[in-house]
Amino acid sequence: MFWSKIWFFLIALAATAALALALALPRPAARAQATEEQRRLGVACDVVDILLTDDARNRVEVTGAFARTGTVVSALETASAAEKLDDVRMKQVRSVGEEVVKTIEGRKPDFAILLDRRGRVVANVNIDQDEYGDTLAGRPLVDDALAGYLRDDIWVFNNSMYFVAASPVIKRDATVEYVGAVLLGHKVTNELAQKLAGSVGVDVGFYLAGEPVAQSRSVSFDKATMQKAIGALSSGDPARDCQASKPTPVRAGKENITAIVARLPGEAATKQGYFTIFAAQPVDPGFLGTFKRLTKDDLTGDFPWVLVGGGFVLALAIGIGLMLVETDRPLRRLTADVVKLAKGETERLAEDAHPGKFGSIARSVNIHIDKLGREAKTAKKDLDQLLGPAPEGSLGTIDLLATALPSVRPGGAGPATPPPPSEFRFGDSGSSPARGTPVVPPAATAKTPPPVSFKNIGTQPGVGGGAAPVAAPPPPKPPLPPPPQTGPMAVQKAPPPLRLDDDILGGNAEPSTVGAAPTPPPPAGGYDPYFKEVYDQFIAMKQACNEQTSGLTFEKFADKLVRNRDDLKAKTGCTEVKFTVYVKDGKAALKATPV
Amino acid sequence: MGLPPRVIAPAYLVLALGAGTAMAGGVAGKVEVPAAPARAAVSNKGFLDRVENPLAPVKPVATTPQMLVVLEGPPPAGGTPVQVVWELVGESFAKPVIGAQVGAKVEIKNTSRTPRSLVAKGQPKLIEGGPLNPSGVRSFRVDAAGLIEVGDSDAPHLKGTVVVVASPYFATVDAAGKFDLGEVPEGTYKLQVFYGTGWIDQPEQQVVVPAKGKAEVTVKIPAGYPLKK
């Protein structure tokens, strides 16, 4: 059992380790997923920055093409020469601008502003269309465009954000001359954010001082958290914000989001403009979540089923082997040994032949056998003292106990002849005899009629039918016992060992013996009805054995039984005494058994 | 690659003429500027760096609009400083640099359609708070010589400088470098030029104003536009 226990311990340890591993394994996976998600956000931020830069390049090119349009150049040249601008000129130039805007393919600008060489607004297209005359010179984008540069910027006005591109307008006829500038603006909208989000697979939002301007999906961020993240970037190069920005966990309503922020360039930067790449934080699936995500493909292909199956078979084989070696085989040996003991082939269990606990069981059984032997010997001695030496077949022989005794007893020499087999049988509880119906071994049945149970007495009246006592040939009549002493002195002497049947057969005994019973007979009708049953059985058995019954009265018989019962109770401490009528050596005999 | 003809912006000449001058001539002149300084790094850069257009050379930085010519001489006999009007035309002032005599009232007039919140750098109480709405006027009085930088907190690019001097004789310079001080009492004056954020560091230049007629003055700005420390 030792190695079996060790093995079970190792199996339990391995199972626990496997369970702990299974519970812990999703965590690094979730951590790796979060890291990967953050990396993905950083990449997405770079991609969005590239897309916006590419978009700016396209917008600048479109603006340059717009500025090179002949009608635009002519209109602004004329406007630049005018000291004052008026409605007529404004509408004429605006009309020119509207026509040119229509020719732009792809995403059209949300507004166009045409400036003269001084930076005055000559006309607005699609925005504040009736206004003109304001000087936009002074804004870096406009100053650069009037000086001859093409560039872009991000403007904020009317609570909106615009990507603005600017280009100088240059007259190229006889003399090359700057005549103005053109600005094209594209509004930052949710559609733009969604388009960007579709390109990178995560959400995109544009903000001014923490307030959303455009988002691919409506999310309300914690303003302070985002401002803090932006503040951490204030010292670096805005162009490298995507690399420098650390993923920021932020709570948006009931949603946990990871966001990367990057400052927007241009004038928007002075108004704390930034864009955010964000995605919901990956949820740690845990053990069950990971289990639910298992697919058939996960368990096929290169899954090491051979290793798993081999491990299982090996563990099972080792466990079964240890059980076989340490439990099953010793148990079978013990069982066989006990069966031999039950059959009387051995008188004790071989303690040394059984290892471990089985040896302990064997020792315990042997100890109990020894105890029973001592108790039986004591009981027999008491019965002998009570009833006198019990020759074979005489009343008082406790046959059952005698059969259980080994041939060699620790307490002394055993009986000369081996005891008959016990009525007890292993593994056949259904055949256990009921009270009052002792089972007679086959050997005994062949020689003597079986004991007559109380029930059998009732169901087998008389001596005629049945296979038991009646079928047996009548045994030879035993010699008469020596005549008992008579007279009062005989009563006072220590009574010789008596046999109940002899006393009961007192019809052949001295009358004085009958009349001089040591104890007064119980009053008529005061005996246990059980004694009457035993008496009737005994009489019937005697008659069956052709014995004389004339001198055997019920009162004498009952007195004997009472004394016998009381003595047995006193000696053995039993609570009841069972009397069994049987035939021994052709004569009716009575057996008393403590219960 | 030749330089393009310079665009001459209208020079708003602000004159502070001394009252009661019986004999007064005038001063007119031209500022000869060296090569313009390099253009400052791009401001408010967008997603892209600015690129030069392929059709014409980029214009040099216009320096003269940031200049103010001042005549320092005997104090005027009596009279009160003349009020100065400074137009706010949109995203910039009509003149980035103006002059004002000590004690003069400077009136900022918003001729654009954009409201502004103007504030004087370092003197937050000099200009009355609140937005200066289109066509609105905001005025303040300058009590001491020095520089007053006015800007809009919501538009960092919007800046203008008021040069406060004791002399009432000063003039801005147009894109061509010309200036005209108008009537100036007869006498000898010292000419100084303010540029951008300080006074040009140059040899002292005397201007003798005749009783009649105008004195023609040519001012040569040293290369590199050095400023007095």
Coordinates of all heavy atoms in Angstrom, one line a residue, chain B residues 159-198:
Chain B
K159 N 0.1 89.7 -33.4 CA 1.0 90.5 -32.5 C 1.2 91.9 -33.1 O 1.3 92.0 -34.3 CB 2.3 89.8 -32.2 CG 2.2 88.6 -31.3 CD 3.6 87.9 -31.2 CE 3.5 86.6 -30.4 NZ 4.8 85.9 -30.3
G160 N 1.4 92.9 -32.3 CA 1.7 94.2 -32.7 C 2.5 94.9 -31.6 O 2.4 94.6 -30.5
T161 N 3.4 95.8 -32.1 CA 4.2 96.5 -31.1 C 4.0 98.0 -31.2 O 4.0 98.6 -32.3 CB 5.7 96.2 -31.4 OG1 5.9 94.8 -31.3 CG2 6.6 96.8 -30.4
V162 N 3.8 98.6 -30.0 CA 3.7 100.1 -29.9 C 5.1 100.6 -29.3 O 5.4 100.1 -28.2 CB 2.6 100.5 -29.0 CG1 2.5 102.0 -29.0 CG2 1.2 99.9 -29.5
V163 N 5.7 101.4 -30.1 CA 7.0 102.0 -29.7 C 6.7 103.4 -29.1 O 6.3 104.3 -29.8 CB 8.0 102.1 -30.8 CG1 9.4 102.6 -30.3 CG2 8.2 100.8 -31.5
V164 N 6.8 103.5 -27.8 CA 6.5 104.7 -27.1 C 7.8 105.5 -26.9 O 8.7 105.1 -26.3 CB 5.8 104.5 -25.7 CG1 5.4 105.8 -25.0 CG2 4.7 103.5 -25.9
V165 N 7.8 106.7 -27.5 CA 9.0 107.6 -27.4 C 8.6 109.0 -26.9 O 7.4 109.4 -27.0 CB 9.6 107.7 -28.8 CG1 10.2 106.3 -29.3 CG2 8.6 108.2 -29.9
A166 N 9.6 109.7 -26.5 CA 9.3 111.1 -26.0 C 9.1 112.1 -27.2 O 8.4 113.0 -27.1 CB 10.5 111.5 -25.2
S167 N 9.7 111.7 -28.3 CA 9.6 112.6 -29.5 C 8.3 112.5 -30.2 O 7.8 111.4 -30.3 CB 10.8 112.3 -30.5 OG 10.6 113.0 -31.6
P168 N 7.8 113.6 -30.7 CA 6.6 113.5 -31.4 C 6.8 113.2 -32.9 O 5.9 113.1 -33.7 CB 5.9 114.9 -31.2 CG 7.1 115.8 -31.1 CD 8.1 115.0 -30.4
Y169 N 8.1 113.1 -33.3 CA 8.5 112.9 -34.7 C 8.9 111.5 -35.0 O 10.1 111.1 -34.7 CB 9.6 113.9 -35.1 CG 9.3 115.3 -34.6 CD1 10.1 115.9 -33.6 CD2 8.2 116.0 -35.0 CE1 9.8 117.2 -33.1 CE2 7.9 117.3 -34.5 CZ 8.7 117.9 -33.6 OH 8.4 119.1 -33.1
F170 N 8.0 110.8 -35.6 CA 8.3 109.4 -36.0 C 7.4 109.0 -37.1 O 6.4 109.6 -37.4 CB 8.1 108.5 -34.8 CG 6.8 108.7 -34.1 CD1 5.6 108.1 -34.6 CD2 6.7 109.4 -32.9 CE1 4.4 108.3 -33.9 CE2 5.5 109.6 -32.3 CZ 4.4 109.0 -32.7
A171 N 7.9 108.0 -37.9 CA 7.1 107.6 -39.0 C 7.4 106.1 -39.3 O 8.5 105.6 -39.0 CB 7.5 108.4 -40.2
T172 N 6.5 105.4 -39.9 CA 6.7 104.0 -40.3 C 7.3 104.1 -41.7 O 7.3 105.1 -42.4 CB 5.4 103.3 -40.3 OG1 4.4 103.9 -41.2 CG2 4.8 103.1 -38.9
V173 N 7.7 102.9 -42.1 CA 8.4 102.8 -43.4 C 7.6 101.8 -44.3 O 7.1 100.8 -43.8 CB 9.8 102.2 -43.2 CG1 10.6 102.1 -44.5 CG2 10.6 103.0 -42.2
D174 N 7.5 102.2 -45.6 CA 6.7 101.4 -46.4 C 7.5 100.3 -47.0 O 8.7 100.2 -46.7 CB 6.0 102.2 -47.5 CG 7.0 102.8 -48.5 OD1 8.2 102.4 -48.5 OD2 6.7 103.7 -49.3
A175 N 6.9 99.5 -47.8 CA 7.6 98.3 -48.3 C 8.8 98.7 -49.2 O 9.8 97.9 -49.3 CB 6.6 97.5 -49.2
A176 N 8.8 99.9 -49.8 CA 9.9 100.3 -50.6 C 11.0 101.0 -49.8 O 12.0 101.4 -50.3 CB 9.4 101.3 -51.6
G177 N 10.7 101.1 -48.5 CA 11.7 101.7 -47.6 C 11.6 103.2 -47.4 O 12.4 103.8 -46.7
K178 N 10.6 103.8 -48.0 CA 10.4 105.2 -47.9 C 9.6 105.6 -46.6 O 8.8 104.8 -46.1 CB 9.6 105.7 -49.1 CG 10.4 105.6 -50.4 CD 9.6 106.1 -51.6 CE 10.4 106.0 -52.9 NZ 9.6 106.5 -54.1
F179 N 9.9 106.8 -46.2 CA 9.2 107.3 -45.0 C 9.1 108.8 -45.2 O 9.9 109.4 -45.9 CB 9.9 106.9 -43.7 CG 11.3 107.5 -43.5 CD1 11.5 108.7 -42.9 CD2 12.4 106.8 -44.0 CE1 12.8 109.2 -42.8 CE2 13.7 107.3 -43.9 CZ 13.9 108.6 -43.2
D180 N 8.1 109.4 -44.5 CA 7.9 110.8 -44.5 C 7.5 111.3 -43.1 O 6.5 110.9 -42.6 CB 6.9 111.2 -45.5 CG 6.8 112.7 -45.8 OD1 7.4 113.5 -45.0 OD2 6.2 113.1 -46.8
L181 N 8.3 112.2 -42.5 CA 8.0 112.6 -41.2 C 7.2 113.9 -41.2 O 6.8 114.4 -40.1 CB 9.3 112.9 -40.4 CG 10.1 111.7 -40.0 CD1 11.5 112.1 -39.6 CD2 9.4 110.9 -39.0
G182 N 6.8 114.4 -42.3 CA 5.9 115.5 -42.4 C 6.6 116.8 -41.9 O 7.8 117.0 -42.1
E183 N 5.9 117.6 -41.2 CA 6.4 118.9 -40.7 C 7.2 118.6 -39.4 O 6.7 118.1 -38.5 CB 5.3 119.9 -40.5 CG 4.6 120.3 -41.8 CD 3.7 121.5 -41.5 OE1 3.4 121.8 -40.3 OE2 3.1 122.0 -42.5
V184 N 8.4 119.1 -39.5 CA 9.3 119.0 -38.3 C 9.9 120.4 -38.1 O 10.4 121.0 -39.1 CB 10.4 118.0 -38.5 CG1 11.4 117.9 -37.3 CG2 9.8 116.6 -38.8
P185 N 9.9 120.9 -36.9 CA 10.5 122.3 -36.7 C 12.0 122.3 -37.1 O 12.7 121.3 -37.0 CB 10.4 122.5 -35.2 CG 9.3 121.6 -34.8 CD 9.4 120.4 -35.7
E186 N 12.4 123.4 -37.4 CA 13.8 123.6 -37.9 C 14.7 123.2 -36.7 O 14.5 123.5 -35.5 CB 14.0 125.1 -38.3 CG 15.4 125.4 -38.7 CD 15.6 126.9 -38.9 OE1 14.7 127.6 -38.6 OE2 16.7 127.3 -39.4
G187 N 15.8 122.6 -37.1 CA 16.7 122.2 -36.0 C 17.5 121.0 -36.4 O 17.4 120.4 -37.5
T188 N 18.3 120.5 -35.5 CA 19.1 119.3 -35.7 C 18.6 118.2 -34.8 O 18.4 118.4 -33.6 CB 20.6 119.6 -35.3 OG1 21.1 120.7 -36.1 CG2 21.5 118.4 -35.6
Y189 N 18.5 117.1 -35.4 CA 17.9 115.9 -34.8 C 18.8 114.7 -34.9 O 19.6 114.6 -35.9 CB 16.5 115.6 -35.3 CG 15.5 116.7 -35.1 CD1 15.4 117.8 -36.0 CD2 14.7 116.8 -34.0 CE1 14.5 118.8 -35.8 CE2 13.7 117.8 -33.8 CZ 13.6 118.8 -34.7 OH 12.7 119.8 -34.5
K190 N 18.6 113.8 -34.0 CA 19.3 112.5 -34.2 C 18.3 111.5 -34.7 O 17.2 111.4 -34.1 CB 19.8 112.1 -32.8 CG 20.7 110.8 -32.9 CD 21.3 110.5 -31.6 CE 20.3 109.8 -30.7 NZ 20.9 109.3 -29.4
L191 N 18.6 110.8 -35.7 CA 17.7 109.8 -36.3 C 18.0 108.4 -35.8 O 19.2 108.0 -35.7 CB 17.8 109.8 -37.8 CG 16.8 109.0 -38.6 CD1 16.5 109.7 -39.9 CD2 17.4 107.6 -38.9
Q192 N 17.0 107.7 -35.4 CA 17.1 106.3 -34.9 C 16.1 105.5 -35.6 O 15.0 105.9 -36.0 CB 16.9 106.2 -33.4 CG 18.1 106.9 -32.6 CD 18.1 106.3 -31.2 OE1 18.7 105.2 -31.0 NE2 17.5 107.0 -30.3
V193 N 16.4 104.2 -35.8 CA 15.5 103.3 -36.5 C 15.2 102.1 -35.5 O 16.1 101.5 -35.0 CB 16.1 102.7 -37.8 CG1 15.1 101.7 -38.4 CG2 16.4 103.9 -38.7
F194 N 13.9 101.9 -35.3 CA 13.4 100.7 -34.6 C 13.1 99.6 -35.6 O 12.5 99.9 -36.6 CB 12.2 101.1 -33.7 CG 11.7 100.0 -32.9 CD1 12.2 99.7 -31.6 CD2 10.7 99.1 -33.4 CE1 11.7 98.7 -30.9 CE2 10.2 98.0 -32.7 CZ 10.7 97.8 -31.4
Y195 N 13.5 98.4 -35.2 CA 13.2 97.3 -36.1 C 12.8 96.1 -35.2 O 13.6 95.6 -34.4 CB 14.5 96.9 -36.9 CG 14.3 95.6 -37.7 CD1 13.4 95.6 -38.8 CD2 15.0 94.5 -37.3 CE1 13.3 94.4 -39.5 CE2 14.8 93.3 -38.0 CZ 14.0 93.2 -39.1 OH 13.8 92.1 -39.8
G196 N 11.6 95.6 -35.5 CA 11.2 94.4 -34.9 C 11.0 94.5 -33.4 O 9.9 94.9 -32.9
T197 N 12.1 94.2 -32.7 CA 12.0 94.2 -31.2 C 13.0 95.2 -30.5 O 13.1 95.2 -29.3 CB 12.3 92.8 -30.7 OG1 13.6 92.4 -31.2 CG2 11.2 91.8 -31.2
G198 N 13.7 95.9 -31.3 CA 14.7 96.8 -30.7 C 15.2 97.9 -31.6 O 14.8 97.9 -32.8

